[in-house]
Amino acid sequence: MQKLIIQGGMPLHGEVTISGAKNAALPVLCAALLTQESLKINNVPALRDITTMLSLLKQMGTDITTHHASEVVLSAAALTHLVAPYEMVKTMRAAILVLGPLLARAGEANISLPGGCAIGLRPVDQHIKGLQAMGAEIQIKHGYIHAVAKKLHGARIVFDIVTVTGTENLMMAATLADGTTILENAAREPEIVDLANCLIAMGANIQGAGTDIITITGVPTLHGAEHTVMPDRIETGTFLVAATATGGEIHLNNTDAHLLDAVLDKLAEAGARIDSGKNWIDLSMHTKPKSVNVRTAPHPAFPTDMQAQFMSLNCIADGTAIITETIFENRLMHVQELKRMNANIEVEGNAAIVCGIPQLDGAHVMATDLRASASLVIAGLIAQGETVIDRIYHLDRGYESIEKKLSALGAQIRRSD
């Protein structure tokens, strides 16, 4: 099993190009199932989850052509296998996103239930409730969702909880439904807007994406289109936190400061100097960081996917910070690994109290999930001595060539078997 080895203590300096957003690319790839024509997608990141999704779509009968590293053309003219098997879904919960498009276009879908998740429950009941309201007959047997619908129809759907994948699934399904669908208490994340932009380019009629009420008027068919995936706001935030924690100075290309206002506000509060333009962000840090309190909540509030990275920053900041996780019940598992590096953290319920100390110590640690692994990388960059991170396959799910990008910024980091 591969691991990362980091020699800490080096400030990050230099320039990095941010990759396309994984959480935007995955639903956009699934949108290809909605049309018989070709969908060309640019700025697709090279990640494990993307590879898994492409394999799943290919298994369903989609022709896939890769012209270069970040450009993919998909053609789902003939859907031959309307199943998402457990073997694929268990490694990538986003596979549930094929449910809505398959049901809308082919009238049938058999999708394995996603099962457990390290960071907490991610129920799919909101997906099922919404599709049933649109006329689908759904049964759950032997761990699979069996869904059938001769023709979906419009409906008013009020989500019990804010769900990003639920909003995406029902928005895609509604594009081909008869009549108008209204999604209330919808997720407002930028990735929702990115998917809506792709669907609109394909001929969909969607209004309100980015607000909590999205209205979709169904059309008979969607056509081919070309779409460029938005930059990854979480990768952007991760590099900015790493530069802040190490006292560095970096320039990020192919990104958008408007995608992460809450994160930039917290970095400025910690003492970072930030400047930005149309597709770039500069950050410089010349003082010891100040502790910052963080409370996660749905967009546009502070994102849960940046909570772990800020915990590493707070470990060596001046003062004491309280980090409160409100989205996932098990998303503080990185605390025990950071404590192995001498961090002063106590957990009380869904909150972590972090008392800053002068220096973390390098140690052998284990990544428990994608964002926890990013927090351990940041901790390794600021620690004294060598840090070894096991189970780094989590990183490959969401960060494209992270050790190469960090090496280009001066970090002493390498991958080892």
Side-chain angles (χ1 to χ4, degrees), residues 167 171 181-183 186-187 192 206-209 211-216:
T167 300
M171 187 166 65
T181 298
I182 300 173
L183 305 179
I192 301 287
I206 301 173
Q207 295 179 324
T211 75
D212 59 356
I213 300 178
I214 303 175
T215 302
I216 310 102

Side-chain angles (χ1 to χ4, degrees), residues 2 7 15 141 143 148 152 194 252 320 367 374:
Q2 289 191 324
Q7 194 71 35
E15 186 174 313
K141 293 182 179 179
V148 178
L152 294 175
D194 198 60
L252 302 183
T320 298

Side-chain angles (χ1 to χ4, degrees), residues 339-363:
K339 290 177 76 168
R340 288 178 53 80
M341 302 176 72
N342 202 34
N344 185 349
I345 309 172
E346 296 298 329
V347 175
E348 295 184 5
N350 66 334
I353 299 140
V354 187
C355 297
I357 60 175
Q359 185 71 60
L360 291 178
D361 296 332

Side-chain angles (χ1 to χ4, degrees), residues 50 95 109 149 163 169 250 274 312 341 356 360 407:
I50 298 295
T163 163
N169 230 341
I250 62 171
I274 302 167
S312 293
M341 302 176 72
L360 291 178
S407 294

Side-chain angles (χ1 to χ4, degrees), residues 135-361:
E137 296 181 7
I138 297 178
Q139 294 181 318
I140 298 177
K141 293 182 179 179
H142 308 294
Y144 276 75
I145 302 169
H146 297 270
V148 178
K150 187 174 182 181
K151 182 67 175 177
L152 294 175
H153 58 73
R156 176 175 173 263
I157 299 162
V158 181
F159 292 106
D160 295 333
I161 58 172
V162 177
T163 163
V164 174
T165 54
T167 300
E168 291 166 340
N169 230 341
L170 297 186
M171 187 166 65
M172 285 190 282
T175 60
L176 296 179
D178 281 338
T180 298
T181 298
I182 300 173
L183 305 179
E184 298 189 25
N185 196 28
R188 300 163 60 187
E189 271 71 5
E191 291 80 9
I192 301 287
V193 178
D194 198 60
L195 173 61
N197 289 339
C198 176
L199 294 170
I200 290 168
M202 297 168 67
N205 185 342
I206 301 173
Q207 295 179 324
T211 75
D212 59 356
I213 300 178
I214 303 175
T215 302
I216 310 102
T217 301
V219 297
T221 59
L222 295 181
H223 53 70
E226 181 172 355
H227 179 74
T228 298
V229 174
M230 61 175 273
D232 196 316
R233 61 192 174 105
I234 305 303
E235 184 191 22
T236 298
T238 299
F239 276 99
L240 292 174
V241 171
T244 302
T246 61
E249 188 169 342
I250 62 171
H251 175 83
L252 302 183
N253 293 312
N254 188 39
T255 190
D256 184 350
H258 298 296
L259 296 175
L260 61 168
D261 289 334
V263 170
L264 295 181
D265 287 347
K266 288 295 177 181
L267 289 171
E269 188 180 329
R273 296 179 59 182
I274 302 167
D275 192 16
S276 62
K278 184 177 180 181
N279 60 356
W280 58 269
I281 301 174
D282 283 344
L283 180 143
S284 60
M285 187 70 180
H286 302 298
T287 62
K288 186 175 177 63
K290 302 179 183 71
S291 292
V292 290
N293 295 328
V294 165
R295 181 181 182 86
T296 67
H299 190 80
F302 190 91
T304 180
D305 280 354
M306 286 301 304
Q307 174 257 109
Q309 298 90 315
F310 268 81
M311 188 175 294
S312 293
L313 171 63
N314 278 319
C315 284
I316 50 88
D318 278 339
T320 298
I322 300 175
I323 296 179
T324 307
E325 174 57 54
T326 73
I327 307 296
F328 295 116
E329 66 274 15
N330 293 333
R331 207 164 203 180
L332 294 174
M333 292 188 293
H334 44 281
V335 168
Q336 294 305 315
E337 300 304 308
L338 289 171
K339 290 177 76 168
R340 288 178 53 80
M341 302 176 72
N342 202 34
N344 185 349
I345 309 172
E346 296 298 329
V347 175
E348 295 184 5
N350 66 334
I353 299 140
V354 187
C355 297
I357 60 175
Q359 185 71 60
L360 291 178
D361 296 332

